[in-house]
Amino acid sequence: GRILHYIPPAKEFQKVEHEFVEPVPDDYFIWWLFKRRCIMCRKSATEINEIIPRGRSKKSLFDWRNRVTLCQTCHTGDNGFHHHGVTSDKIKVMQEKRKEYLLSIDRGQYV
C-alpha cells in the first residue's frame, strides 16, 4: 500500500526542526506527535489515552485529536484522569492541556 506519512526514527527525531506529518489515529503517530511525553506532567509517557473515553464513543479511537499520551500516574493514579471516573470537567482540562502542550513543542499545526 501507499505510505501516507514518514516518521523519522527516534535518533533523528530531535534534528528535524519543522516537519509536517499527515495526522492519523494510529499509535505510532500519536507517540510521535507528543514526543513520547505525558501532556500533563511532561514525564515519559507510558499510555495512550482517549480524551472522550472509548466507552462513550466508538469513534473516539479513530479521531487522532482525541488521543493523547500520559504517564501511568496521570492516567490512573490517585489524581489521574480515570480516578473516580471521567467527568466533563476532566475532559475539558485534558483538551486544554493537549492544546497547551502541542503549542509548547511547536506543533501548533496539530491543535
Side-chain angles (χ1 to χ4, degrees), residues 2-109:
R2 200 176 91 195
I3 296 175
L4 296 178
H5 60 280
Y6 167 73
I7 299 172
K11 288 179 185 173
E12 295 175 25
F13 205 55
Q14 303 300 329
K15 296 177 191 172
V16 181
E17 288 295 319
H18 297 283
E19 68 286 315
F20 181 81
V21 176
E22 187 67 31
V24 290
D26 69 32
D27 290 359
Y28 193 60
F29 171 74
I30 300 303
W31 286 117
W32 170 86
L33 179 60
F34 298 104
K35 297 188 177 186
R36 296 187 171 274
R37 294 270 161 211
C38 175
I39 67 160
M40 302 300 276
C41 71
R42 311 288 173 111
K43 291 180 182 170
S44 284
T46 57
E47 325 275 335
I48 293 178
N49 183 62
E50 286 76 41
I51 298 172
I52 297 171
R54 60 182 87 171
R56 295 187 195 177
S57 170
K58 297 296 181 215
K59 293 177 184 174
S60 72
L61 277 172
F62 304 106
D63 181 0
W64 63 272
R65 289 179 184 89
N66 190 53
R67 304 187 79 209
V68 295
T69 51
L70 297 173
C71 69
Q72 192 169 12
T73 302
C74 290
H75 190 230
T76 56
D78 287 343
N79 291 312
F81 186 63
H82 288 285
H83 190 67
H84 293 305
V86 176
T87 63
S88 57
D89 285 343
K90 284 184 181 180
I91 289 171
K92 286 177 190 166
V93 167
M94 184 74 67
Q95 289 169 331
E96 190 57 36
K97 288 287 188 180
R98 177 190 180 276
K99 179 181 176 182
E100 288 172 12
Y101 180 78
L102 288 172
L103 291 171
S104 77
I105 61 168
D106 281 336
R107 293 212 166 136
Q109 70 266 43

